[in-house]
Amino acid sequence: MDRNQLVKWLESPAKMGHKYSLHAVYFCTGCGIIEVPPSITARWDAERFGVLPSASPRHANLFLITGYVSVKTLRAIIQTYDQMPEPKYAVGFGSCPINGGMYWDSYNTIKHLDKYIPIDGWIAGCMPRPEAIFVAVTHLWTLIDKDMADGYKRYRKHYAAYRANQEKALPGLDWPPLFPLEGSE
Amino acid sequence: MTKMIWYVLSPLIALVVGILLMGLSRKLLARIHWRVGPPILQPVIDLIRFLSQKSASHGFLFDSGLILSLAGSLVLTLFLPLGQYTPMSGSGGLLVILYVMLLGPLGIAFSSGGAANPYASIGISRKLMLAMGYELPLLLIVLTVMTGYRTISIVEVVRIQQAQGWAIATFPLLLSALAYILILPAILGMRPFEVVGAAQEISSGPVVEFGGPHLALSTLQHALTTYIGLSLFVNLMLGGGSNPVFFLLKMLVVFVLCLCVHAVFPRFRVDQAIRYLWRWPALVAMAGLVLTVLMGG
Amino acid sequence: MTGVEIILAAAFAGALLTWFIGRTSSTAGSAFAVAVLLALTALVALLHGRVYETVFYRGFLGLPMSLRTDSLSWFFAMATTVLAALSGIFSLSYMKDRKNTGFFNTMLLLVNAAMLGVVFSGDLLSFFIFWEIMSWSTFLLISFNRGQGVNAGLKYIVMSLVGSMAMLVGIGWLLGAFGTLNIARLSELIPSASGGHQLVLLLLFGIAFGIKNAVMPLHTWLPDAYTEAPSPFTAVLSGMLTRMGIFGFLLILYVMAGAARVLHSPGSTVPTYNVVLAWLGAVTIVVPTFIAMLQNDAKRLLAWHGIGQGGYMILGMAFGTGMGLAGGIFHTLNHAIYIVLLFMSVGAVQHRTGGVRDLNSLGGLARKMPVAFIGALMGISGLIGVPLTNGFVSKWMIYRTLILGGAPFLAFAALIGSWGTILSVYKFLHNVFLGQLPSKYENVRSSPVSMKIPILVLSFAILLFGILPGLPLKVIDGIVVSFGLPSLDVSLWGIASEAGTLNTVNLFAALAVGVLVVLAFVRILGRSERVGQDSNYSAGCGVPRDRYNYTARYYDPLFRMISPYLKDFFSTLYDGLARGIGSLCEAVRMIYTGYVSSYVMYILLFISAMIFIHLTWNPW
């Protein structure tokens, strides 16, 4: 952890700020949310890494998709993700958002979340333990350092494709596109 | 010349102290909860992050309300004695302070209203109701101080206290000080009165739509609010300070005491909060005022 | 060459001419009315600084009727004409497509002329005549919209008549006791009269002026009248017409009873009277301010504030020191400016939304009607007394007087009233202009130019008098000096005194620098992009299309706590009284059945009773 290295702060304050002030949307997207309370309270204390749950997506830059994603939840996830200010990082938590997990043949569950919003990293397992969140956070730091946590840029670049997928899963999207559809792929 | 410097130094010190107190509160809260907690400078890290992001603006009022709010709070620090330094001592005294204190919450209220989010509206409605709750005893307390010392200038209040002993140690004003201690958490927005920014019910209330730079401004404003609330208490009840260091030390002690309450208590509903504030603190403050009037006349 | 007679003659002739011009073309009539009001403003402005008295009619009951002008009259006349002219301009588009525009304009001018008459009269007889013209023309205007308006107007005229009758008795008493009704003459006689004389007079006149100024137990006509009158006239009514009560109080207390001199002399009843008046003022501040919080009708909410703010004027005036008196008079002017502005903003909203003023069904209009929004924003800032608005200065003067004058409880009432004001006016602003725009108001247009002009002028005045309060305070200082009180240390930017200085320009400079610093900070570091009103965090759900506001029962927890204690007790009492008298009269009417046989029976019964008495009752 290079939080105390003043030189790095002076070199790239924005990047360091994004690394050490990860505010996560406090959003119960699935059963995995049960692992979040222990990780932010006294037992594991995520706040020592600067990770804090925040109530509104406008404050947040980290989106933990905790568990399976039903079609109805997808709608809320997309809207919330759209409202987060850039740069923003989305992390899939548990095996369900990766490939459907135990809901692989469910009619009502999204199997591949990264078709709808860009995901910067995955935490595999069912359930992953709170330690896994911290491992993910340290990985995310490395990614931010190397400019590889660029999901929000991909979203902007390929918005047309993402939007098309979103419309396929949720017929009749009732909110306007976030970015102009022309010019994106 | 040295006097002019304090026009710049007072707001700056207020900002720095306010931010440090926020960091301290997070660290101390964590220690009380048996956690490690973030570094004390975590609010600064957060601020850097907020400022490097791009926020969503809901229009002119949304932006200008916040600016007005922060500017009002900055100006207010010029009226509050910091040790022996009060840059704007001759422009209106305590009554002006009471009114300039309005600019902060009102600016936030205009801004959140412009955001058109009902959570923000609920938060503002709670904020105004809670303010009504604690202003009633606070006004009684300030009136008691002004009547007791026969002046409306805060500099005079501090001077008299340094000559004759702190207000908290003289008899009728002791009651006011007691009432003030009871309402101080409400003024600072701490538990058990943390009804405004209730994260779990109304998504942080008034600040729900602020992101990026807007959130940075509102965080700075919150830091200043903490500073102002403590500073007013120290100046009115604890005799201010003979120099800024002592003054800030007194402030720190009061803040840590409030924080201990904040760390271990749950919170009231807003109607319970008002009922409490209008009962005990108001009664004690009223007793203080009556006794002051009787003993003064 | 301008004189009081010419101004009054012009005012009444203007009203008459407007009627005839309005008969041929209502547009021409409206234009002519505005022209008359502007001309009157100019004429009154030319009167500045002149003090004289002139007799205009000798013969009425052998009493000379006269007109006079001094700094007090000029101050009120100026405020009256300026605000009436602005309301006239405002009404150009407000009344455009309505019936009876000509009648409205005539009555507006007549009310204005009568108010000028009231402030310029030099004896109590002409005062009473102008006062009555004012009352009944007000009644006609309040009832202008028919329906509920007629009830409101009746309520007003009945209470107003009670006040007038009290005043008439007082005038008769004065005539019997002193043999003259000339104000200048009376001001020499009354201060040396006995305490009992003074008290009766002050009470009788106090009822009349208390009703006009809506002091707490006599306030019940005001909410209905303000709500039901057409908005341009509500502006006039709330701005200056109601405050003729303050003018009356100043006249009776300071000009005639010489309160400034006798307030600290033993044996006079004036001090006791003033204490009672001050406490009534305090009650008038607190109770209506909290009642205002519970209202859901924009105009009714403002109307309750109209009552509450009147309390500040009474409080400042009754306390009787130079600073308090100046604060009270200044507050009269300030209140007139911002309440007129607020009613104009509401009127503009009504004009564009088809008469809607229900606080629960509007919202988000700031985007559609920016000028009305600016007006409302400045208006509520003045009403709260945000620093750098005019209301702040006058309230500061009143608070300072009360605190240093050893009346902390009165000061507490005044302060808590201000804080209560914040809650209700924020609700007003939020529910009309902030929040989300319902889709039925998507196509609301901005207010017409003739509404924008007065709103912008008054908004500017609020800031001007807030930053440079010395401008009106110099005039007010002249009034205070003419009452025999020492001059205030007024400079252009505030008040200097040993016990507390107010310097608004410093405050302005500091706030301006503060805003600039923050603005520069935001410009350098902050970036943002505009989003629509639908892009709101709503827990991930879609925002409902039409309505996504929190407006209804805005302060519900507080509402539930305080509403049981805030019943309008006096209104119920007066209504009960009115009903009682009504049924009594009804019972008396039953005697007249209309049948000859019953009348014959009455006569027979009466005669037999007389005979019976004659036969049996023998005191000798």
Side-chain angles (χ1 to χ4, degrees):
Chain A
M1 183 156 65
D2 51 0
R3 186 159 63 186
N4 293 330
Q5 294 175 17
L6 199 60
V7 185
K8 287 201 171 177
W9 278 102
L10 295 174
E11 273 173 4
S12 53
K15 194 185 279 182
M16 293 294 278
H18 297 141
K19 272 173 76 177
Y20 294 112
S21 162
L22 286 171
H23 287 195
V25 188
Y26 198 60
F27 192 22
C28 313
T29 42
C31 53
I33 195 70
I34 202 69
E35 298 298 326
V36 170
S39 52
I40 59 174
T41 47
R43 182 69 177 86
W44 275 284
D45 187 24
E47 202 183 356
R48 62 197 147 127
F49 304 114
V51 179
L52 201 66
S54 77
S56 160
R58 304 270 189 214
H59 307 177
N61 59 347
L62 173 64
F63 198 0
L64 273 180
I65 316 288
T66 46
Y68 68 92
V69 180
S70 70
V71 177
K72 221 173 173 179
T73 319
L74 179 67
R75 195 185 177 79
I77 286 176
I78 294 168
Q79 285 204 348
T80 309
Y81 185 77
D82 283 359
Q83 282 172 347
M84 286 164 64
E86 291 179 352
K88 48 193 172 187
Y89 314 108
V91 173
F93 179 93
S95 45
C96 301
I98 303 176
N99 55 12
M102 62 186 279
Y103 301 97
W104 61 276
D105 60 349
S106 166
Y107 65 98
N108 199 24
T109 310
I110 298 304
K111 257 65 88 182
H112 299 281
L113 183 61
D114 53 354
K115 278 161 77 178
Y116 308 97
I117 61 170
I119 301 292
D120 291 293
W122 304 99
I123 307 173
C126 181
M127 298 264 121
R129 284 181 58 78
E131 289 94 329
I133 296 181
F134 298 133
V135 174
V137 166
T138 45
H139 272 290
L140 190 58
W141 287 345
T142 328
L143 291 180
I144 294 172
D145 256 347
K146 296 179 181 166
D147 284 326
M148 284 165 69
D150 56 352
Y152 63 96
K153 289 179 192 158
R154 272 184 281 139
Y155 194 54
R156 208 177 257 275
K157 196 173 169 201
H158 305 295
Y159 185 65
Y162 280 114
R163 176 87 183 178
N165 280 344
Q166 289 167 5
E167 271 165 4
K168 207 184 292 171
L170 305 164
L173 279 190
D174 58 353
W175 63 88
L178 186 64
F179 307 115
L181 288 172
E182 303 85 38
S184 68
E185 297 161 26
Chain B
M1 193 55 218
T2 46
K3 202 163 169 275
M4 295 303 287
I5 289 176
W6 286 93
Y7 276 97
V8 183
L9 270 185
S10 286
L12 272 185
I13 289 177
L15 268 180
V16 171
V17 170
I19 293 169
L20 283 180
L21 286 180
M22 278 174 84
L24 184 76
S25 89
R26 279 170 75 172
K27 186 75 183 174
L28 224 85
L29 209 61
R31 296 310 297 153
I32 293 173
H33 291 168
W34 278 39
R35 292 189 277 128
V36 179
I40 288 188
L41 287 178
Q42 183 67 35
V44 181
I45 301 178
D46 288 350
L47 278 174
I48 292 173
R49 200 260 286 178
F50 297 155
L51 284 171
S52 69
Q53 282 183 318
K54 197 172 176 182
S55 65
S57 162
H58 282 270
F60 176 72
L61 190 70
F62 187 71
D63 306 337
S64 53
L66 264 177
I67 291 171
L68 175 76
S69 156
L70 186 56
S73 298
L74 281 174
V75 168
L76 184 52
T77 58
L78 298 176
F79 285 91
L80 292 165
L82 174 65
Q84 70 273 44
Y85 303 106
T86 318
M88 291 183 67
S89 54
S91 300
L94 262 170
L95 288 171
V96 172
I97 291 175
L98 278 180
Y99 265 90
V100 180
M101 266 172 91
L102 286 178
L103 284 178
L106 264 186
I108 295 268
F110 291 148
S111 190
S112 308
N117 190 322
Y119 292 130
S121 300
I122 297 174
I124 289 300
S125 124
R126 287 185 180 188
K127 166 83 196 158
L128 292 176
M129 279 188 283
L130 186 68
M132 193 67 221
Y134 68 70
E135 285 295 344
L136 189 130
L138 181 64
L139 291 174
L140 281 172
I141 291 161
V142 174
L143 278 170
T144 315
V145 171
M146 287 194 276
T147 316
Y149 292 131
R150 297 222 155 269
T151 175
I152 59 168
S153 155
I154 192 166
V155 183
E156 277 293 294
V157 170
V158 171
R159 200 185 54 73
I160 296 173
Q161 285 189 63
Q162 284 176 356
Q164 301 173 358
W166 298 358
I168 201 167
T170 45
F171 171 58
L173 284 174
L174 170 69
L175 291 173
S176 306
L178 188 66
Y180 206 152
I181 291 170
L182 291 178
I183 63 169
L184 198 55
I187 296 174
L188 299 178
M190 287 176 154
R191 282 191 285 266
F193 301 101
E194 199 191 25
V195 288
V196 179
Q200 291 82 359
E201 313 154 38
I202 52 170
S203 308
S204 316
V207 296
V208 59
E209 281 296 310
F210 298 154
H214 289 93
L215 191 57
L217 288 193
S218 88
T219 308
L220 289 178
Q221 208 275 334
H222 184 248
L224 280 178
T225 311
T226 309
Y227 172 87
I228 289 162
L230 290 170
S231 165
L232 198 63
F233 179 74
V234 172
N235 275 319
L236 287 183
M237 293 300 162
L238 299 184
S242 51
N243 63 48
V245 179
F246 275 127
F247 180 76
L248 294 178
L249 271 179
K250 281 181 194 173
M251 220 152 119
L252 185 67
V253 171
V254 177
F255 185 68
V256 170
L257 287 178
C258 286
L259 209 59
C260 294
V261 177
H262 175 69
V264 297
F265 274 88
R267 64 178 173 79
F268 284 131
R269 283 198 319 260
V270 66
D271 57 331
Q272 291 168 331
I274 299 173
R275 212 158 272 162
Y276 164 80
L277 287 166
W278 280 5
R279 194 172 293 148
W280 299 114
L283 265 182
V284 176
M286 183 57 100
L289 181 55
V290 170
L291 280 177
T292 306
V293 170
L294 288 181
M295 288 168 74
Chain C
M1 161 57 209
T2 159
V4 195
E5 318 91 304
I6 298 174
I7 292 175
L8 277 186
F12 280 102
L16 204 64
L17 274 176
T18 307
W19 171 247
F20 287 114
I21 296 176
R23 289 287 288 274
T24 52
S25 146
S26 70
T27 320
S30 306
F32 181 74
V34 171
V36 169
L37 287 170
L38 288 174
L40 281 178
T41 312
L43 283 175
V44 172
L46 286 175
L47 209 64
H48 176 56
R50 292 178 59 180
V51 180
Y52 73 97
E53 180 164 358
T54 164
V55 176
F56 73 99
Y57 187 67
R58 286 196 178 279
F60 192 82
L61 298 175
L63 295 165
M65 290 168 71
S66 61
L67 297 173
R68 65 198 273 276
T69 173
D70 56 11
S71 47
L72 179 67
S73 306
W74 184 79
F75 181 78
F76 274 86
M78 197 65 222
T80 305
T81 46
V82 169
L83 292 175
L86 289 174
S87 304
I89 296 173
F90 183 83
S91 73
L92 279 181
S93 45
Y94 188 89
M95 301 301 295
K96 202 164 152 194
D97 303 321
R98 288 166 199 249
K99 282 188 286 183
N100 290 335
T101 311
F103 176 71
F104 177 84
N105 286 327
T106 312
M107 281 301 145
L108 195 64
L109 286 186
L110 196 60
V111 165
N112 185 43
M115 283 197 280
L116 286 179
V118 165
V119 297
F120 281 134
S121 20
D123 66 313
L124 289 176
L125 195 61
S126 39
F127 185 89
F128 181 75
I129 292 170
F130 288 126
W131 187 268
E132 281 306 284
I133 298 177
M134 188 172 85
S135 293
W136 64 255
S137 44
T138 306
F139 161 66
L140 289 177
L141 276 173
I142 291 173
S143 324
F144 184 79
N145 283 341
R146 310 291 161 187
Q148 282 295 311
V150 177
N151 288 339
L154 274 177
K155 209 168 176 179
Y156 166 77
I157 196 73
V158 167
M159 292 199 66
S160 189
L161 278 176
V162 171
S164 305
M165 288 310 116
M167 182 152 74
L168 194 59
V169 173
I171 289 173
W173 176 291
L174 274 177
L175 189 62
F178 301 107
T180 176
L181 287 179
N182 186 294
I183 289 173
R185 187 87 189 87
L186 282 173
S187 65
E188 292 157 17
L189 294 170
I190 294 181
S192 52
S194 72
H197 267 91
Q198 286 179 354
L199 191 63
V200 169
L201 277 176
L202 290 176
L203 278 182
L204 286 171
F205 279 87
I207 290 173
F209 300 140
I211 285 175
K212 189 59 83 177
N213 195 43
V215 181
M216 190 59 187
L218 308 171
H219 66 279
T220 53
W221 63 270
L222 193 144
D224 289 337
Y226 277 24
T227 315
E228 297 305 331
S231 284
F233 178 66
T234 311
V236 174
L237 180 61
S238 60
M240 280 325 278
L241 208 150
T242 312
R243 302 311 157 207
M244 283 299 131
I246 291 290
F247 176 80
F249 271 121
L250 287 172
L251 191 72
I252 190 79
L253 270 174
Y254 287 93
V255 177
M256 283 163 63
R261 273 157 300 175
V262 302
L263 210 53
H264 303 291
S265 68
S268 168
T269 50
V270 178
T272 331
Y273 180 78
N274 270 21
V275 169
V276 173
L277 200 57
W279 275 102
L280 281 181
V283 174
T284 310
I285 291 171
V286 177
V287 179
T289 308
F290 280 86
I291 294 181
M293 215 182 289
L294 315 178
Q295 305 303 319
N296 282 322
D297 179 321
K299 279 175 88 174
R300 191 171 278 271
L301 188 148
L302 294 176
W304 279 105
H305 278 300
I307 304 176
Q309 298 293 310
Y312 284 96
M313 303 163 204
I314 294 280
L315 198 51
M317 189 198 66
F319 209 70
T321 59
M323 176 81 78
L325 193 56
I329 301 175
F330 191 23
H331 200 69
T332 311
L333 175 69
N334 292 338
H335 167 264
I337 293 174
Y338 54 67
I339 204 85
V340 167
L341 181 56
L342 283 169
F343 276 117
M344 281 182 179
S345 298
V346 174
V349 170
Q350 268 185 299
H351 183 65
R352 283 304 192 209
T353 56
V356 180
R357 49 169 204 250
D358 176 19
L359 287 178
N360 292 341
S361 69
L362 294 163
L365 286 172
R367 292 187 191 83
K368 296 288 169 188
M369 309 182 73
V371 174
F373 170 66
I374 287 172
L377 185 63
M378 293 314 300
I380 69 158
S381 304
L383 191 60
I384 297 171
V386 173
L388 301 185
T389 58
N390 56 2
F392 171 67
V393 183
S394 49
K395 280 188 179 176
W396 185 88
M397 291 165 78
I398 294 169
Y399 298 148
R400 184 189 165 284
T401 311
L402 295 174
I403 291 165
L404 295 182
F409 296 103
L410 290 176
F412 176 63
L415 278 166
I416 204 72
S418 284
W419 260 260
T421 307
I422 300 171
L423 264 71
S424 47
V425 295
Y426 181 75
K427 172 183 168 181
F428 163 72
L429 189 80
H430 175 272
N431 289 10
V432 177
F433 291 105
L434 305 181
Q436 293 211 329
L437 188 70
S439 51
K440 62 182 165 185
Y441 299 128
E442 278 301 334
N443 300 319
V444 165
R445 281 177 298 143
S446 179
S447 19
V449 181
S450 67
M451 289 188 177
K452 279 180 183 161
I453 292 170
I455 287 178
L456 288 177
V457 167
L458 288 171
S459 304
F460 176 72
I462 284 181
L463 277 183
L464 182 70
F465 289 173
I467 296 168
L468 298 174
L471 295 173
L473 274 176
K474 293 262 188 215
V475 181
I476 293 167
D477 194 37
I479 300 175
V480 172
V481 171
S482 77
F483 290 158
L485 286 161
S487 168
L488 305 170
D489 200 353
V490 175
S491 55
L492 195 56
W493 49 84
I495 298 142
S497 71
E498 285 168 21
T501 316
L502 178 66
N503 191 326
T504 45
V505 167
N506 270 357
L507 195 58
F508 173 67
L511 203 60
V513 171
V515 167
L516 284 179
V517 167
V518 179
L519 202 61
F521 178 75
V522 172
R523 270 291 143 82
I524 294 168
L525 288 170
R527 290 163 304 148
S528 63
E529 58 187 348
R530 277 299 297 274
V531 295
Q533 68 167 4
D534 289 333
S535 177
N536 261 315
Y537 175 62
S538 49
C541 300
V543 172
R545 272 293 135 180
D546 190 31
R547 193 150 177 78
Y548 192 50
N549 266 357
Y550 176 68
T551 53
R553 295 176 79 86
Y554 197 71
Y555 300 114
D556 193 48
L558 193 63
F559 180 92
R560 268 181 284 144
M561 266 178 68
I562 62 175
S563 57
Y565 306 102
L566 289 178
K567 299 257 161 50
D568 196 349
F569 168 71
F570 288 103
S571 189
T572 326
L573 179 74
Y574 294 150
D575 283 348
L577 207 63
R579 262 198 305 279
I581 292 175
S583 42
L584 188 71
C585 295
E586 193 70 13
V588 171
R589 197 177 64 85
M590 296 294 273
I591 296 171
Y592 302 99
T593 53
Y595 298 113
V596 180
S597 49
S598 0
Y599 296 138
V600 172
M601 190 182 75
Y602 294 154
I603 294 168
L604 285 178
L605 276 177
F606 180 73
I607 292 172
S608 53
M610 293 307 275
I611 294 170
F612 180 72
I613 289 168
H614 184 74
L615 290 179
T616 55
W617 186 56
N618 194 351
W620 306 280

